[in-house]
Amino acid sequence: MCAPRRELAVHDPAESSDEALLVGIAGGDREALAALFARYAGKVKTYLKRLGALDATAEDLAQDTMVSVWRSAASFDPNKAKASTWIFVIARNAWIDRLRRERVELAYRNSVTPAEDSTAETPQDSALRALEADQVRAALGALSDDQKLVVQLSFFEDRPHSEIAAQLALPLGTIKSRLRLALTKLRTHWEKQS
Amino acid sequence: MSHPSMDILVAYAAGALEPGFGLVVGAHLETCETCRAQLRSLETASGEALSSLPAASVGADALERVLQRLDEVPQGQATAPTRPLLQQLPLKPRRWLAHNVWVSAVDTPHASDNRVYILSAGAGTEIVRHRHSGAEFCTVLAGAFRDENGRFAAGDFAAMYSTDEHCPVVDGDETCICLFATEGRLQPTDMLGRLIFAWAGV
Protein backbone atom coordinates (compact mmCIF):
# COMPACT_ATOMS: atom_id res chain seq x y z
CA MET A 1 0.00 0.00 0.00
CA CYS A 2 2.80 2.32 0.84
CA ALA A 3 5.02 1.06 -1.94
CA PRO A 4 7.22 3.85 -3.30
CA ARG A 5 5.63 5.56 -6.24
CA ARG A 6 7.34 5.00 -9.55
CA GLU A 7 7.48 8.72 -10.27
CA LEU A 8 9.91 9.09 -7.43
CA ALA A 9 12.50 6.98 -9.20
CA VAL A 10 15.64 9.01 -9.76
CA HIS A 11 16.02 8.12 -13.43
CA ASP A 12 13.56 7.34 -16.13
CA PRO A 13 15.11 4.30 -17.85
CA ALA A 14 14.10 5.68 -21.23
CA GLU A 15 16.40 8.66 -20.67
CA SER A 16 19.36 6.88 -19.13
CA SER A 17 22.55 6.21 -21.04
CA ASP A 18 23.19 2.64 -22.18
CA GLU A 19 25.93 2.42 -19.58
CA ALA A 20 23.61 3.55 -16.78
CA LEU A 21 21.08 0.97 -17.89
CA LEU A 22 23.68 -1.80 -17.69
CA VAL A 23 24.64 -0.70 -14.20
CA GLY A 24 20.95 -0.82 -13.29
CA ILE A 25 20.60 -4.26 -14.86
CA ALA A 26 23.53 -5.46 -12.78
CA GLY A 27 21.52 -4.33 -9.76
CA GLY A 28 18.53 -6.42 -10.88
CA ASP A 29 16.45 -3.63 -12.48
CA ARG A 30 14.08 -5.27 -14.97
CA GLU A 31 12.83 -1.97 -16.32
CA ALA A 32 16.38 -1.10 -17.26
CA LEU A 33 16.59 -4.38 -19.14
CA ALA A 34 13.34 -3.64 -20.95
CA ALA A 35 14.69 -0.22 -21.92
CA LEU A 36 17.94 -1.72 -23.19
CA PHE A 37 15.93 -4.35 -25.07
CA ALA A 38 14.00 -1.58 -26.81
CA ARG A 39 17.26 0.02 -27.92
CA TYR A 40 19.25 -3.01 -28.95
CA ALA A 41 17.23 -6.18 -29.62
CA GLY A 42 16.21 -5.10 -33.12
CA LYS A 43 19.71 -3.88 -33.98
CA VAL A 44 21.26 -7.11 -32.78
CA LYS A 45 18.78 -8.97 -34.95
CA THR A 46 19.74 -6.87 -37.98
CA TYR A 47 23.43 -7.52 -37.32
CA LEU A 48 22.87 -11.28 -37.12
CA LYS A 49 20.84 -11.29 -40.30
CA ARG A 50 23.61 -9.43 -42.08
CA LEU A 51 25.98 -12.17 -40.99
CA GLY A 52 23.70 -14.65 -42.71
CA ALA A 53 21.34 -15.82 -39.96
CA LEU A 54 17.82 -16.71 -41.02
CA ASP A 55 15.11 -14.56 -39.47
CA ALA A 56 14.11 -17.17 -36.86
CA THR A 57 17.71 -17.80 -35.81
CA ALA A 58 18.41 -14.09 -35.56
CA GLU A 59 15.27 -13.61 -33.44
CA ASP A 60 16.28 -16.46 -31.19
CA LEU A 61 19.84 -15.24 -30.74
CA ALA A 62 18.76 -11.63 -30.20
CA GLN A 63 16.64 -12.87 -27.28
CA ASP A 64 19.50 -15.02 -25.99
CA THR A 65 21.76 -11.98 -26.19
CA MET A 66 19.43 -9.96 -23.97
CA VAL A 67 19.23 -12.80 -21.45
CA SER A 68 23.04 -13.01 -21.44
CA VAL A 69 23.20 -9.25 -20.90
CA TRP A 70 21.06 -9.74 -17.79
CA ARG A 71 23.21 -12.58 -16.48
CA SER A 72 26.58 -11.00 -17.17
CA ALA A 73 25.80 -7.36 -16.41
CA ALA A 74 27.76 -7.53 -13.16
CA SER A 75 30.93 -7.98 -15.19
CA PHE A 76 30.32 -4.78 -17.18
CA ASP A 77 32.70 -2.01 -16.14
CA PRO A 78 31.66 1.39 -17.54
CA ASN A 79 35.20 2.65 -17.01
CA LYS A 80 36.63 0.00 -19.28
CA ALA A 81 34.14 -0.45 -22.11
CA LYS A 82 31.25 1.20 -23.86
CA ALA A 83 27.90 -0.52 -23.50
CA SER A 84 27.60 -0.88 -27.29
CA THR A 85 30.95 -2.70 -27.46
CA TRP A 86 29.99 -4.99 -24.63
CA ILE A 87 26.60 -5.86 -26.11
CA PHE A 88 28.13 -6.33 -29.56
CA VAL A 89 30.64 -8.85 -28.19
CA ILE A 90 27.88 -10.83 -26.44
CA ALA A 91 25.81 -10.93 -29.63
CA ARG A 92 28.79 -11.93 -31.78
CA ASN A 93 29.82 -14.67 -29.37
CA ALA A 94 26.27 -16.00 -29.25
CA TRP A 95 26.38 -16.31 -33.04
CA ILE A 96 29.79 -17.99 -33.10
CA ASP A 97 28.78 -20.40 -30.31
CA ARG A 98 25.69 -21.37 -32.25
CA LEU A 99 27.69 -21.92 -35.44
CA ARG A 100 30.25 -24.02 -33.59
CA ARG A 101 27.72 -26.22 -31.89
CA GLU A 102 25.31 -27.01 -34.63
CA ARG A 103 24.76 -26.80 -38.30
CA VAL A 104 23.03 -23.50 -38.79
CA GLU A 105 21.13 -22.91 -41.93
CA LEU A 106 22.41 -19.70 -43.40
CA ALA A 107 20.30 -17.31 -45.37
CA TYR A 108 22.88 -17.01 -48.10
CA ARG A 109 22.92 -20.72 -48.73
CA ASN A 110 19.36 -20.54 -50.00
CA SER A 111 19.67 -17.34 -51.86
CA VAL A 112 16.43 -18.06 -53.71
CA THR A 113 14.59 -16.84 -50.62
CA PRO A 114 13.51 -13.27 -51.30
CA ALA A 115 15.04 -10.80 -48.87
CA GLU A 116 12.16 -10.36 -46.46
CA ASP A 117 13.33 -7.09 -45.06
CA SER A 118 13.40 -5.23 -48.32
CA THR A 119 10.36 -3.22 -47.26
CA ALA A 120 10.98 0.40 -48.00
CA GLU A 121 12.36 2.67 -45.35
CA THR A 122 10.69 6.00 -44.83
CA PRO A 123 12.81 9.00 -45.85
CA GLN A 124 12.90 9.98 -42.21
CA ASP A 125 14.40 6.63 -41.30
CA SER A 126 17.14 6.97 -43.86
CA ALA A 127 17.89 10.54 -42.76
CA LEU A 128 18.18 9.34 -39.20
CA ARG A 129 20.36 6.48 -40.27
CA ALA A 130 22.60 8.73 -42.32
CA LEU A 131 23.07 10.95 -39.30
CA GLU A 132 23.94 8.02 -37.08
CA ALA A 133 26.21 6.58 -39.71
CA ASP A 134 28.04 9.90 -39.82
CA GLN A 135 28.59 9.75 -36.10
CA VAL A 136 29.90 6.23 -36.42
CA ARG A 137 32.20 7.21 -39.24
CA ALA A 138 33.59 9.90 -36.97
CA ALA A 139 34.13 7.28 -34.28
CA LEU A 140 35.89 5.10 -36.79
CA GLY A 141 38.35 7.85 -37.51
CA ALA A 142 41.07 6.19 -35.47
CA LEU A 143 41.12 3.09 -37.65
CA SER A 144 43.23 2.52 -40.73
CA ASP A 145 41.55 2.75 -44.11
CA ASP A 146 41.47 -1.02 -44.53
CA GLN A 147 39.87 -1.52 -41.14
CA LYS A 148 37.27 1.12 -41.84
CA LEU A 149 36.40 -0.41 -45.16
CA VAL A 150 35.73 -3.82 -43.74
CA VAL A 151 33.72 -2.49 -40.83
CA GLN A 152 31.70 -0.31 -43.15
CA LEU A 153 31.11 -3.10 -45.60
CA SER A 154 30.06 -5.35 -42.76
CA PHE A 155 27.49 -2.97 -41.39
CA PHE A 156 26.54 -0.16 -43.70
CA GLU A 157 26.14 -1.58 -47.15
CA ASP A 158 22.62 -1.20 -48.42
CA ARG A 159 22.61 -4.45 -50.29
CA PRO A 160 20.38 -7.45 -49.64
CA HIS A 161 21.65 -9.09 -46.48
CA SER A 162 21.92 -12.44 -48.21
CA GLU A 163 24.41 -10.99 -50.61
CA ILE A 164 26.45 -9.38 -47.86
CA ALA A 165 26.30 -12.54 -45.80
CA ALA A 166 27.49 -14.56 -48.74
CA GLN A 167 30.57 -12.40 -48.74
CA LEU A 168 30.98 -11.99 -45.03
CA ALA A 169 30.66 -15.56 -43.88
CA LEU A 170 33.32 -16.89 -46.17
CA PRO A 171 36.91 -16.84 -45.11
CA LEU A 172 39.87 -15.24 -46.52
CA GLY A 173 39.78 -15.31 -50.28
CA THR A 174 36.46 -13.59 -50.11
CA ILE A 175 37.59 -11.00 -47.65
CA LYS A 176 40.47 -10.19 -49.93
CA SER A 177 38.15 -9.80 -52.87
CA ARG A 178 35.79 -7.81 -50.71
CA LEU A 179 38.59 -5.39 -49.98
CA ARG A 180 39.38 -5.20 -53.65
CA LEU A 181 35.73 -4.61 -54.37
CA ALA A 182 35.65 -1.88 -51.76
CA LEU A 183 38.69 -0.21 -53.19
CA THR A 184 37.19 -0.30 -56.64
CA LYS A 185 34.02 1.27 -55.36
CA LEU A 186 35.87 3.99 -53.58
CA ARG A 187 37.86 4.73 -56.67
CA THR A 188 34.64 5.16 -58.60
CA HIS A 189 33.44 7.45 -55.87
CA TRP A 190 36.57 9.57 -56.03
CA GLU A 191 36.41 9.73 -59.79
CA LYS A 192 32.86 11.00 -59.57
CA GLN A 193 33.88 13.69 -57.13
CA SER A 194 36.88 14.96 -59.00
CA MET B 1 56.08 -12.97 -34.18
CA SER B 2 53.84 -13.58 -37.21
CA HIS B 3 50.35 -12.12 -36.87
CA PRO B 4 47.07 -12.35 -38.75
CA SER B 5 46.68 -9.55 -41.29
CA MET B 6 44.41 -6.65 -40.43
CA ASP B 7 41.64 -7.82 -42.75
CA ILE B 8 41.58 -11.17 -40.97
CA LEU B 9 41.38 -9.45 -37.57
CA VAL B 10 38.62 -7.15 -38.74
CA ALA B 11 36.57 -10.05 -40.05
CA TYR B 12 37.21 -11.96 -36.83
CA ALA B 13 36.09 -8.98 -34.73
CA ALA B 14 32.93 -8.57 -36.80
CA GLY B 15 32.01 -12.25 -36.33
CA ALA B 16 32.33 -12.78 -40.07
CA LEU B 17 34.99 -15.50 -40.20
CA GLU B 18 33.92 -19.10 -40.44
CA PRO B 19 34.21 -20.39 -36.86
CA GLY B 20 36.92 -22.93 -37.68
CA PHE B 21 39.11 -20.18 -39.06
CA GLY B 22 38.13 -18.05 -36.09
CA LEU B 23 39.42 -20.76 -33.73
CA VAL B 24 42.85 -20.59 -35.29
CA VAL B 25 42.90 -16.79 -35.01
CA GLY B 26 41.68 -17.16 -31.39
CA ALA B 27 44.59 -19.49 -30.59
CA HIS B 28 46.98 -16.79 -31.76
CA LEU B 29 45.15 -14.09 -29.79
CA GLU B 30 45.57 -16.07 -26.58
CA THR B 31 49.32 -15.54 -26.82
CA CYS B 32 49.49 -12.12 -28.49
CA GLU B 33 48.78 -8.94 -26.53
CA THR B 34 49.38 -6.78 -29.63
CA CYS B 35 46.58 -8.44 -31.57
CA ARG B 36 44.30 -8.45 -28.53
CA ALA B 37 44.71 -4.68 -28.28
CA GLN B 38 43.88 -4.36 -31.99
CA LEU B 39 40.87 -6.58 -31.47
CA ARG B 40 39.58 -4.39 -28.65
CA SER B 41 39.66 -1.29 -30.84
CA LEU B 42 37.94 -3.19 -33.65
CA GLU B 43 35.26 -4.36 -31.24
CA THR B 44 34.70 -0.78 -30.15
CA ALA B 45 34.25 0.20 -33.78
CA SER B 46 31.91 -2.76 -34.31
CA GLY B 47 29.88 -1.72 -31.25
CA GLU B 48 29.51 1.76 -32.71
CA ALA B 49 28.42 0.21 -35.98
CA LEU B 50 25.89 -1.96 -34.13
CA SER B 51 24.36 1.12 -32.48
CA SER B 52 23.84 2.70 -35.87
CA LEU B 53 22.09 -0.26 -37.49
CA PRO B 54 18.40 -0.06 -38.29
CA ALA B 55 16.33 -2.25 -35.96
CA ALA B 56 14.76 -5.35 -37.45
CA SER B 57 11.30 -6.00 -36.08
CA VAL B 58 11.35 -8.53 -33.28
CA GLY B 59 8.49 -10.84 -32.32
CA ALA B 60 5.58 -9.24 -30.48
CA ASP B 61 6.23 -11.45 -27.47
CA ALA B 62 10.05 -11.20 -27.62
CA LEU B 63 10.46 -8.90 -24.62
CA GLU B 64 8.01 -10.95 -22.59
CA ARG B 65 9.89 -14.13 -23.39
CA VAL B 66 13.18 -12.55 -22.37
CA LEU B 67 11.71 -11.28 -19.10
CA GLN B 68 10.34 -14.75 -18.34
CA ARG B 69 13.79 -16.25 -18.76
CA LEU B 70 15.56 -13.87 -16.38
CA ASP B 71 14.98 -16.04 -13.34
CA GLU B 72 16.06 -19.26 -14.99
CA VAL B 73 19.22 -20.77 -13.63
CA PRO B 74 21.76 -20.63 -16.46
CA GLN B 75 22.46 -23.99 -18.03
CA GLY B 76 25.78 -25.14 -19.34
CA GLN B 77 28.81 -22.95 -19.43
CA ALA B 78 28.95 -19.32 -18.45
CA THR B 79 29.21 -16.76 -21.23
CA ALA B 80 32.90 -16.20 -20.54
CA PRO B 81 34.58 -19.61 -20.50
CA THR B 82 37.72 -19.56 -18.42
CA ARG B 83 39.34 -22.69 -19.81
CA PRO B 84 41.97 -22.18 -22.51
CA LEU B 85 40.53 -22.34 -25.98
CA LEU B 86 42.09 -25.65 -26.91
CA GLN B 87 40.63 -27.51 -23.97
CA GLN B 88 37.21 -26.46 -25.15
CA LEU B 89 37.63 -28.04 -28.56
CA PRO B 90 35.61 -31.15 -29.35
CA LEU B 91 38.56 -33.24 -30.52
CA LYS B 92 38.15 -36.56 -32.29
CA PRO B 93 40.52 -39.47 -31.52
CA ARG B 94 44.08 -39.19 -32.75
CA ARG B 95 45.09 -40.80 -36.02
CA TRP B 96 48.72 -41.79 -36.23
CA LEU B 97 50.27 -41.16 -39.63
CA ALA B 98 53.79 -42.20 -38.66
CA HIS B 99 55.43 -43.23 -35.40
CA ASN B 100 55.78 -39.59 -34.39
CA VAL B 101 53.01 -37.83 -36.32
CA TRP B 102 49.31 -37.67 -35.45
CA VAL B 103 46.28 -35.60 -36.36
CA SER B 104 43.16 -35.01 -34.34
CA ALA B 105 40.19 -33.42 -36.05
CA VAL B 106 37.97 -30.83 -34.42
CA ASP B 107 34.26 -31.33 -34.96
CA THR B 108 32.95 -28.55 -37.17
CA PRO B 109 29.25 -29.27 -37.62
CA HIS B 110 28.69 -25.88 -39.25
CA ALA B 111 30.88 -26.49 -42.25
CA SER B 112 31.56 -29.99 -43.46
CA ASP B 113 33.73 -28.77 -46.30
CA ASN B 114 36.10 -26.96 -43.94
CA ARG B 115 38.49 -28.95 -41.80
CA VAL B 116 39.93 -27.97 -38.47
CA TYR B 117 42.54 -30.18 -36.88
CA ILE B 118 45.57 -30.40 -34.67
CA LEU B 119 48.71 -31.85 -36.18
CA SER B 120 51.55 -33.04 -34.02
CA ALA B 121 54.87 -33.92 -35.64
CA GLY B 122 58.08 -35.04 -33.92
CA ALA B 123 61.43 -33.32 -34.35
CA GLY B 124 62.85 -33.57 -37.84
CA THR B 125 59.60 -34.59 -39.52
CA GLU B 126 59.10 -33.34 -43.03
CA ILE B 127 55.47 -32.88 -44.10
CA VAL B 128 54.70 -33.91 -47.66
CA ARG B 129 54.85 -31.02 -50.10
CA HIS B 130 51.34 -29.85 -50.80
CA ARG B 131 49.14 -27.17 -52.27
CA HIS B 132 45.96 -25.71 -50.83
CA SER B 133 42.61 -25.83 -52.57
CA GLY B 134 41.49 -22.83 -50.52
CA ALA B 135 42.66 -20.73 -47.60
CA GLU B 136 44.56 -22.33 -44.74
CA PHE B 137 45.11 -20.72 -41.34
CA CYS B 138 47.61 -22.13 -38.88
CA THR B 139 48.66 -21.20 -35.36
CA VAL B 140 51.67 -22.95 -33.86
CA LEU B 141 50.83 -24.21 -30.36
CA ALA B 142 54.21 -25.72 -29.46
CA GLY B 143 57.58 -26.25 -31.09
CA ALA B 144 58.33 -24.72 -34.46
CA PHE B 145 58.32 -25.46 -38.18
CA ARG B 146 60.10 -23.95 -41.11
CA ASP B 147 59.03 -23.67 -44.73
CA GLU B 148 59.77 -21.52 -47.76
CA ASN B 149 58.23 -18.52 -45.96
CA GLY B 150 60.34 -18.67 -42.82
CA ARG B 151 60.27 -20.08 -39.31
CA PHE B 152 57.07 -20.27 -37.28
CA ALA B 153 57.29 -20.88 -33.53
CA ALA B 154 54.76 -21.18 -30.70
CA GLY B 155 52.14 -18.42 -30.98
CA ASP B 156 52.93 -17.61 -34.61
CA PHE B 157 50.09 -17.35 -37.08
CA ALA B 158 50.43 -18.26 -40.76
CA ALA B 159 47.93 -17.99 -43.61
CA MET B 160 48.30 -19.83 -46.91
CA TYR B 161 46.15 -19.34 -49.99
CA SER B 162 45.00 -21.52 -52.81
CA THR B 163 47.96 -20.83 -55.01
CA ASP B 164 50.58 -21.41 -52.33
CA GLU B 165 52.59 -24.62 -52.23
CA HIS B 166 54.94 -25.47 -49.41
CA CYS B 167 56.94 -28.17 -47.72
CA PRO B 168 57.04 -27.61 -43.95
CA VAL B 169 59.76 -29.20 -41.82
CA VAL B 170 59.71 -29.42 -38.03
CA ASP B 171 62.46 -27.17 -36.73
CA GLY B 172 64.42 -27.80 -33.52
CA ASP B 173 64.29 -30.68 -31.06
CA GLU B 174 60.76 -30.16 -29.84
CA THR B 175 57.60 -31.79 -31.19
CA CYS B 176 55.68 -29.27 -33.27
CA ILE B 177 51.94 -28.99 -32.59
CA CYS B 178 49.78 -26.78 -34.79
CA LEU B 179 46.10 -25.92 -35.05
CA PHE B 180 44.93 -25.74 -38.67
CA ALA B 181 41.78 -24.69 -40.48
CA THR B 182 41.58 -25.46 -44.16
CA GLU B 183 39.05 -24.69 -46.81
CA GLY B 184 38.65 -27.78 -48.93
CA ARG B 185 41.28 -30.51 -48.87
CA LEU B 186 45.03 -30.29 -49.03
CA GLN B 187 46.53 -31.38 -52.30
CA PRO B 188 49.77 -33.31 -51.92
CA THR B 189 51.93 -33.17 -54.98
CA ASP B 190 52.83 -36.89 -54.98
CA MET B 191 50.97 -40.20 -54.68
CA LEU B 192 52.29 -41.24 -51.27
CA GLY B 193 51.23 -37.87 -49.89
CA ARG B 194 47.76 -38.36 -51.32
CA LEU B 195 47.42 -41.68 -49.56
CA ILE B 196 48.62 -40.26 -46.25
CA PHE B 197 46.43 -37.18 -46.44
CA ALA B 198 43.40 -39.24 -47.43
CA TRP B 199 43.92 -41.45 -44.37
CA ALA B 200 44.39 -38.41 -42.15
CA GLY B 201 41.26 -36.81 -43.56
CA VAL B 202 42.96 -33.47 -44.10
Side-chain angles (χ1 to χ4, degrees), chain A residues 3 5 92 118 163 175:
Chain A
R5 288 164 56 86
R92 180 198 64 195
S118 60
E163 195 183 316
I175 291 156

Coordinates of all heavy atoms in Angstrom, one line a residue, chain A residues 3 5 92 118 163 175:
Chain A
A3 N 3.9 1.3 -1.0 CA 5.0 1.1 -1.9 C 5.4 2.4 -2.6 O 4.6 3.2 -2.8 CB 4.6 0.1 -3.0
R5 N 6.2 5.3 -4.9 CA 5.6 5.6 -6.2 C 6.7 5.6 -7.3 O 7.8 6.1 -7.1 CB 4.9 6.9 -6.2 CG 3.6 6.9 -5.4 CD 3.2 8.3 -5.1 NE 3.0 9.1 -6.3 CZ 1.9 9.1 -7.0 NH1 0.9 8.4 -6.6 NH2 1.9 9.9 -8.1
R92 N 27.9 -11.2 -30.9 CA 28.8 -11.9 -31.8 C 29.1 -13.3 -31.2 O 29.1 -14.3 -32.0 CB 30.1 -11.1 -32.0 CG 31.1 -11.8 -32.9 CD 32.4 -11.2 -32.7 NE 33.0 -11.5 -31.4 CZ 34.0 -10.9 -30.9 NH1 34.7 -9.9 -31.6 NH2 34.4 -11.2 -29.7
S118 N 13.2 -6.2 -47.3 CA 13.4 -5.2 -48.3 C 12.3 -4.2 -48.3 O 12.3 -3.3 -49.2 CB 13.5 -5.9 -49.7 OG 12.2 -6.5 -49.9
E163 N 23.2 -11.2 -49.8 CA 24.4 -11.0 -50.6 C 25.6 -10.6 -49.7 O 26.7 -11.1 -49.9 CB 24.1 -9.8 -51.6 CG 25.0 -9.7 -52.7 CD 24.6 -8.5 -53.5 OE1 23.4 -8.3 -53.8 OE2 25.5 -7.7 -53.9
I175 N 37.3 -12.3 -48.3 CA 37.6 -11.0 -47.6 C 38.6 -10.2 -48.5 O 38.4 -9.0 -48.6 CB 38.1 -11.2 -46.2 CG1 37.0 -11.8 -45.4 CG2 38.6 -10.0 -45.6 CD1 37.5 -12.6 -44.2

